[in-house]
Amino acid sequence: MLKVIDGAAANQDGAATGGESAFSPIDEIVREGARRMLAAALQAEVAAYVARFVGEVDENGRRQVVRNGYHAEREVLTAAGAVTVRAPRVNDRRVDAETGERQRFSSAILPAWCRKSPQMSEVLPLLYLHGLPTGDFSPALGKFPGTGAGCRPLRSPG
């Protein structure tokens, strides 16, 4: 049985577990909050899209744009950490009159190819470029929300 002691995983005797990954309860709360907010935003985005085309029906009176379950679960790397999300799926049966291709819903919040937030994509190269040669990671870490105030350059002793 694991319990949390000062943010680290420990067994019943209070000894830190070697193979288990330590986690901070506050980080778990933040990640869960981010996951819930992302799920709610995706639900609202899909609901607005479906509502926009509610009047479009086929020759049998069936709606052309409907909700259709969820995509497979995937992990997205955000500033709050890795967040697991299941994006809602939309079945759009409308056909473009000019091209003859079916219309598709594409989320502006979480595109199909997205595995990390754009902010994370910007920061990682900066960490490499600035941090390795100089040892000063604070310019790159300052791009993360809420980290600018707490970052100070490392000073060498002497």
Side-chain angles (χ1 to χ4, degrees):
M1 180 172 143
L2 289 177
K3 58 184 175 178
V4 176
I5 300 174
D6 294 330
N11 62 20
Q12 287 179 339
D13 303 328
T17 58
E20 306 282 337
S21 63
F23 63 92
S24 167
I26 194 166
D27 291 334
E28 289 300 316
I29 291 167
V30 169
R31 271 194 290 279
E32 179 61 19
R35 187 195 63 73
R36 287 182 184 182
M37 287 175 40
L38 180 57
L42 290 170
Q43 292 285 353
E45 181 185 36
V46 166
Y49 183 81
V50 170
R52 190 171 356 149
F53 301 108
V54 75
E56 293 194 29
V57 294
D58 64 9
E59 59 277 352
N60 297 326
R62 294 188 178 134
R63 292 185 9 205
Q64 293 284 45
V65 181
V66 294
R67 276 285 317 275
N68 186 20
Y70 290 89
H71 290 283
E73 214 173 62
R74 65 178 165 164
E75 212 170 66
V76 180
L77 185 61
T78 69
V83 176
T84 303
V85 66
R86 288 185 62 203
R89 188 182 311 206
V90 174
N91 188 0
D92 192 341
R93 295 185 204 102
R94 297 174 303 130
V95 177
D96 187 339
E98 295 175 11
T99 63
E101 293 182 17
R102 279 183 64 168
Q103 299 288 325
R104 293 193 174 267
F105 168 75
S106 179
S107 174
I109 297 170
L110 185 67
W113 49 265
C114 184
R115 296 295 182 264
K116 59 183 155 189
S117 72
Q119 185 178 18
M120 295 298 294
S121 297
E122 292 172 9
V123 171
L124 293 176
L126 290 175
L127 284 171
Y128 179 76
L129 290 173
H130 293 289
L132 286 180
T134 65
D136 183 10
F137 291 94
S138 55
L141 291 174
K143 300 281 185 182
F144 282 111
T147 58
C151 291
R152 283 175 264 162
L154 295 174
R155 294 190 184 119
S156 59

